[in-house]
Amino acid sequence: MKSVHLRRVLSALLGVSLAALGVVAASPPAGAAAAPILPGPFDDSFYTPPSPLPAGKPGDVLRWRPAVPLLNVANADAWQVMYLSTNARGLPDAVTGTILVPKGKDPAQAPIVGYAVGTQGPAFKCTASKAMERGTLYDQPAINDSLSSGFAVAVTDYEGYSPTTTPTYITGQSEGPAVIDSVRAAQNLPAAKLAKTAKVIFQGYSQGGGGSMWAGEKQPTYAPELNVVGVVAGGVPADLTEVAKGLDGYIGFGFLAFAAVGLDAAYPDLKLDSFLNDTGRQQLNDAKKNACVAELLLNYSFKKISDYTTSNPLGTPQWQARLAQNKLGANPPRVPVFQYHASTDEIVNTPQAEALHRTYCAAGVREQWQTYLSDHATGILAGNGDAHQWIVKRFAGEQAPSNC
């Protein structure tokens, strides 16, 4: 911990030095609020949003700091940011994330990948930016592919990752804006020197596949100014009701429990606590404090909703309404899509993702659908190469393939 603190201090001194030289104090892009000139804070209070939130637009940078040197990241400059966004109920919120810009490239010419990470876990220690610091972010190979190709990458932590809040896990109405506004924040961070006109692609797998697809669905009305040219989404949980059916009583039950916690955090009217028994309250509270992906699998496999509740909340009208609001397909993206899935996915079942593919095709989306002989965990690696090549070709202006 002392070495991390030392690196944080050194990064702070570097950031202040850059500010003194005018590097981070450069004029913000036209129409953007000025990002703070000085970095900080340099402890975990960085993740706690100011209260009340300051006025501003989605994507405005509230605070930033140089990122701790990342041992397994391709050669890039990196900053952590907190930026304004929009929650599932349409209200302003603040989200953190990481901005990475490849060294040796002209940032003004760099396309931007808005990267939506996969499931990290409900505990604050699981935050994606923290996992990146530790070198444990399983999405890192895909992020590094983009950096190595000269693309900037904006990586959202999603809403709710702070010492005192709960992540709104799997809530698409929150994830989509968080992904979109990470790109806006990257463009608004003066030190990054990225262009407002840069080509943008949203990318992610699993939870991130949902996050990137939600960004694609929301962007035309939420952020029409962005120059989005494609969406890459793997392992997409498109229909949460259908996904839940494949998790109750099976190996991935921990993800179902986390999803219930996330939806409840996004929508206070759901009142999850009123459905829980004593075991449910105790174990879900413990998960919020301690569980990352490994714990979700090890501690909750083959559990059932009935083990934790006095009655099943998922079938109630309020929960059904919120689940319906977070089902993909109502507003198909207006850009090409590469959607892929593990053919034997035991966590996010394949048929509901294929149904989304058919919905998009019927709506005229230029989509390529690809399956790989793999399970959910290995599906991200199985699809990384094809996903990256698809991104490279879209940024190069090549016409997207379609197998609708």
Side-chain angles (χ1 to χ4, degrees):
M1 293 299 293
K2 289 182 178 179
S3 62
V4 171
H5 178 71
L6 177 60
R7 290 199 299 272
R8 199 52 101 191
V9 171
L10 292 174
S11 294
L13 293 174
L14 173 62
V16 173
S17 297
L18 290 173
L21 292 171
V23 174
V24 298
S27 298
I37 293 175
L38 295 179
F42 290 92
D43 56 16
D44 282 347
S45 65
F46 182 89
Y47 291 90
T48 300
S51 182
L53 287 177
K57 302 184 300 299
D60 284 353
V61 176
L62 301 182
R63 60 179 67 140
W64 66 274
R65 64 187 183 188
V68 167
L70 310 173
L71 299 180
N72 67 334
V73 174
N75 193 25
D77 294 310
W79 304 266
Q80 290 175 352
V81 294
M82 175 179 282
Y83 56 91
L84 288 176
S85 191
T86 306
N87 71 16
R89 292 170 290 142
L91 303 174
D93 65 358
V95 179
T96 55
T98 305
I99 310 303
L100 303 114
V101 178
K103 295 184 178 185
K105 304 288 184 179
D106 179 4
Q109 301 300 316
I112 305 171
V113 174
Y115 196 90
V117 297
T119 302
Q120 301 302 305
F124 172 54
K125 66 182 180 181
C126 315
T127 307
S129 53
K130 286 181 168 287
M132 199 177 292
E133 287 183 353
R134 292 191 300 266
T136 60
L137 186 71
Y138 58 78
D139 300 271
Q140 199 66 58
I143 293 170
N144 285 351
D145 284 345
S146 286
L147 293 170
S148 296
S149 293
F151 311 148
V153 184
V155 187
T156 185
D157 286 336
Y158 301 121
E159 178 190 10
Y161 278 102
S162 85
T164 59
T165 54
T166 301
T168 55
Y169 175 64
I170 223 66
T171 306
Q173 296 289 349
S174 170
E175 292 173 348
V179 175
I180 291 170
D181 291 326
S182 72
V183 173
R184 284 169 156 168
Q187 294 172 323
N188 289 336
L189 183 67
K193 301 179 182 178
L194 298 169
K196 284 285 190 137
T197 55
K199 291 181 179 179
V200 174
I201 287 176
F202 302 124
Q203 180 185 11
Y205 184 82
S206 190
Q207 179 193 8
S212 60
M213 209 72 101
W214 275 104
E217 288 207 2
K218 283 182 166 292
Q219 177 269 326
T221 54
Y222 184 77
E225 82 283 1
L226 291 183
N227 183 15
V228 178
V229 299
V231 176
V232 171
V236 178
D239 184 334
L240 300 182
T241 299
E242 289 300 311
V243 173
K245 292 176 182 177
L247 295 176
D248 190 24
Y250 295 96
I251 191 169
F253 177 80
F255 301 112
L256 173 56
F258 184 16
V261 169
L263 286 161
D264 182 65
Y267 302 108
D269 62 295
L270 292 180
K271 297 180 171 56
L272 176 61
D273 188 71
S274 68
F275 295 90
L276 298 177
N277 58 28
D278 290 342
T279 299
R281 290 191 186 93
Q282 184 271 319
Q283 294 206 13
L284 293 186
N285 282 334
D286 179 74
K288 290 177 187 179
K289 297 175 183 176
N290 300 306
C292 294
V293 172
E295 289 78 14
L296 291 178
L297 287 169
L298 292 173
N299 299 340
Y300 301 93
S301 289
F302 305 109
K303 300 292 186 180
K304 298 179 180 179
I305 293 173
S306 58
D307 295 334
Y308 293 87
T309 63
T310 55
S311 62
N312 187 344
L314 299 185
T316 64
Q318 274 187 308
W319 278 80
Q320 282 294 302
R322 293 304 192 185
L323 289 167
Q325 289 172 0
N326 289 277
K327 180 180 178 180
L328 284 162
N331 299 286
R334 299 178 189 175
V335 294
V337 171
F338 176 48
Q339 184 187 352
Y340 62 99
H341 215 94
S343 59
T344 56
D345 198 318
E346 79 289 14
I347 303 295
V348 180
N349 73 77
T350 308
Q352 56 84 40
E354 190 167 10
L356 179 67
H357 156 63
R358 292 194 297 269
T359 297
Y360 282 173
C361 285
V365 177
R366 192 168 186 85
E367 175 169 305
Q368 180 182 354
W369 164 258
Q370 181 73 44
T371 58
Y372 299 92
L373 187 59
S374 61
D375 60 14
H376 186 76
T378 58
I380 185 172
L381 299 176
N384 266 354
D386 289 341
H388 180 63
Q389 287 306 310
W390 192 93
I391 291 171
V392 169
K393 291 177 180 179
R394 299 298 79 73
F395 281 149
E398 294 186 26
Q399 185 178 33
S402 173
N403 56 6
C404 284

